[in-house]
Amino acid sequence: TTCKELVKTSSINLVRSLMYFYDILMSKHANEDNRSSKYLKNWMVSIFFFSLTWSVGATTDSDGMEKFDAYLREIFEGKNKDLPQIPSEVGKIDVPFPDTGQVYHYMFEAKNRGRWVH
């Protein structure tokens, strides 16, 4: 499935944007006080997917956003072996996106276990 980009981007800039988002959002949670938190993995995984959505998934038109939403959800489900699989080191996604709305409609709140806020 292809998505139409509103503005042409290069793959390296998308990856760079992804990592900037991730670094900024994780920097306040990956400090000395939180490093031993039993929820740090949940935060890392969910913040990665939030960052992926708003970097790689944000360059497309509304039709592409619908496709990206469906694609990301299929990856989470792990049922389609033709799509990338969540690495076994990451394991189960403990705080998946809610079933309603698109992934674009949520932000991740890293408190306690973590949750997606509409």
Side-chain angles (χ1 to χ4, degrees):
T1 302
T2 59
C3 298
K4 179 182 174 188
E5 285 186 306
L6 296 173
V7 176
K8 190 76 175 147
T9 58
S10 68
S11 296
I12 193 68
N13 282 335
L14 292 175
V15 171
R16 191 172 185 183
S17 294
L18 165 65
M19 296 317 298
Y20 279 146
F21 263 114
Y22 185 77
D23 184 44
I24 289 166
L25 295 171
M26 275 306 298
S27 64
K28 74 183 216 179
H29 302 297
N31 57 41
E32 292 297 321
D33 296 334
N34 291 329
R35 284 205 178 124
S36 62
S37 172
K38 64 182 180 180
Y39 301 116
L40 188 59
K41 177 192 162 259
N42 286 358
W43 301 344
M44 292 172 67
V45 170
S46 296
I47 288 172
F48 175 82
F49 282 109
F50 179 82
S51 300
L52 179 68
T53 300
W54 286 107
S55 57
V56 176
T59 62
T60 188
D61 61 8
S62 59
D63 288 339
M65 287 182 168
E66 287 182 30
K67 292 175 185 176
F68 185 83
D69 174 78
Y71 179 78
L72 202 53
R73 290 175 186 280
E74 274 193 88
I75 290 173
F76 273 3
E77 290 173 7
K79 296 176 184 171
N80 187 338
K81 299 301 178 193
D82 294 333
L83 295 178
Q85 300 297 301
I86 303 290
S88 60
E89 294 82 8
V90 172
K92 179 181 174 270
I93 304 297
D94 292 323
V95 188
F97 283 106
D99 293 335
T100 59
Q102 289 184 339
V103 296
Y104 298 95
H105 299 154
Y106 295 92
M107 62 173 254
F108 184 74
E109 182 178 64
K111 290 183 182 173
N112 298 318
R113 180 174 173 258
R115 66 187 185 123
W116 292 101
V117 179
H118 190 270

